[in-house]
Amino acid sequence: MCPDDLPSALSEPRSRAALPSVAIVGTTGAVGVELCACLEQRGFPLASLRLLASQRSAGREVAFAGRMLRVEVLDERSFEDVDLALFSAGASVSRQYAPLAVKAGAVVVDNSSAFRMNPDVPLVVPEINAAEIARHHGIIANPNCVAIIAVVALWPLQQAHAIRRVQACTYQAASGAGAAAMQELLASTGAYLAGETYARRVMKHPYAFNLFSHDAAINPATGYNGEEEKVMAETRKIMGLPELLVGVTCVRVPVLRAHAVALTVEFEERVSPEKVLGVLAVAPGVRVVDDRGANHFPMPNEASGQGDVLVGRIRTDVSDPSGRSVSLLVAGDQLLKGAALNAVQIAERLYSC
Amino acid sequence: MCPDDLPSALSEPRSRAALPSVAIVGTTGAVGVELCACLEQRGFPLASLRLLASQRSAGREVAFAGRMLRVEVLDERSFEDVDLALFSAGASVSRQYAPLAVKAGAVVVDNSSAFRMNPDVPLVVPEINAAEIARHHGIIANPNCVAIIAVVALWPLQQAHAIRRVQACTYQAASGAGAAAMQELLASTGAYLAGETYARRVMKHPYAFNLFSHDAAINPATGYNGEEEKVMAETRKIMGLPELLVGVTCVRVPVLRAHAVALTVEFEERVSPEKVLGVLAVAPGVRVVDDRGANHFPMPNEASGQGDVLVGRIRTDVSDPSGRSVSLLVAGDQLLKGAALNAVQIAERLYSC
């Protein structure tokens, strides 16, 4: 199946031996593809790259830095000689293999939800809490994509004016459910336009020109779904604000790869939209898109492929008579800042790139 | 162009002469088509039907009650012998022609925003304030589609437990921007899938697999757009609650014809989600879709073609420590209850159907 002349891992010359040997787990998934791209595009200094995936994807060839690498089957010995393992293959794979990677001596940056709320595991967005990285015990968790995109905008505001309460409604893209969900959106939409039926494989509900409440299981005690509970808990943990009031409604919309989030932020004191705009205009990882005259605000199509989170529609929430609430709209690439880019940024901090 | 044997208006036998003669203005628009369908499907008792449109659509043939009717050009004499005129051709047409229709003796049910906030004009959702119809001076306004869909769910709650504040994020379908916008969503999505470019004609922003803040002009004094201001003002007027606190974020999503709205309702007192569910389960015009186990909640594809507003995802908003806030998700057909059906329901009350 696989030509023998293809290396199973990229190996750099000996002079770079001090650089980390890197493995990606879940190479062929939507995030895995972007992990490879981010490492390459950002020139992440690595000694070797091992691409791991399930049996189904093993043997595929992936281009990296001008060479073709062969995808290997993930197994218990995959992490020998690996210094840094970037996991993005779901929580169950992380639960099984991340401890093995740590045991083998690797540091794991895990994109799944498996360890995020473990008190011993740093949950990191580098613009916010990069210092947390130093206290890791082998695993650093990459947060939920909505949480990342929201906190990149919320944190600079919190630094300037204490936040009391955050309410969010999401407009989440297909990519958050993986490459197969993106494919299902495209294929089912094509079938709709052709007047053909489409047999769903990934989503619980029809996706062409439709939207639905995020299909994570509902917690019967609260009525919130698992995605919403992740966003609420992780937002508090990343920002180090365990008492922050957060309420979220997560909705999946027929958009491909960038999430939008409508936020209403209640501060402890009155804060003008002009002040909010001023804070966000100089915030790291943020790009203000707020042209009222042109009706040009954050949109998924413009967030896609971008590392920055787009922020705009900044206005005082007229439904709060205290004048302490500001509404805004953010959009960020779910696969980049919401996943792969943030993971690579964590890795860069680990290795002081 | 138009065969002479086609009647320019449907005429019923003399025995039904006491029934109203009806005209539709904007017959060939997305709402106009549904107005015809609602009149026919609901068996609205009419003596004659005159179909009016701009020069561009004049001469088209429209099927109604088993006959073909010819669309006439709207002009100043179109309302002679008309008892009831259903307008859905935009605010400028309504401003120009609705007063002429009233002068000619017709009652106007106007789907545009032209007269909605005029204190002398009833703004009616029959389930809520049908009694307002009696105080009309010739014009009855049909509310904004988001406002209708939201208040159908909010009003029974207000009747049971006073509401203090409503916050809404919308997921608005193409149909709200008219038939051409629906066509643009379909055509631009088809072009995207085919890898072709698409030249926008209707929307300000690319629509295929994208979303954007509603493109109504932004009020520079508040930062809210015109759509949001309509929803906020009309919600208060329909419910007769001029002090109600309402904050809205309006977003256009790539869905064809049903709007969804995520609502957070703050009551004056604690209200459990079970109580909210109980109230909505017996509310007129509402259908509860709230199957947590199956993750089945209101969706545009299931709201489309339905007269009821779907309501679900009912839960206490955990971000309000007072326990007085409940979040929910609603979906309703923008063209039916959000427009044509509500207008015909008003007409039915006018004529005690």
Side-chain angles (χ1 to χ4, degrees), chain B residues 177-257:
Chain B
M182 297 170 78
Q183 185 52 36
E184 180 150 311
L185 175 57
L186 294 169
S188 62
T189 303
Y192 183 104
L193 292 172
E196 296 165 0
T197 57
Y198 179 84
R200 291 192 301 286
R201 274 161 255 166
V202 183
M203 295 308 206
K204 283 188 184 146
H205 304 291
Y207 203 1
F209 302 113
N210 193 32
L211 59 80
F212 39 88
S213 176
H214 192 288
D215 65 0
I218 303 282
N219 179 340
T222 64
Y224 281 84
N225 65 44
E227 179 80 354
E228 291 161 349
E229 294 196 327
K230 283 180 197 171
V231 175
M232 298 188 291
E234 295 180 27
T235 296
R236 283 188 283 262
K237 179 170 176 176
I238 299 162
M239 293 174 70
L241 299 170
E243 306 300 322
L244 184 69
L245 299 167
V246 190
V248 179
T249 297
C250 286
V251 174
R252 185 80 71 192
V253 295
V255 165
L256 276 167
R257 63 174 280 171

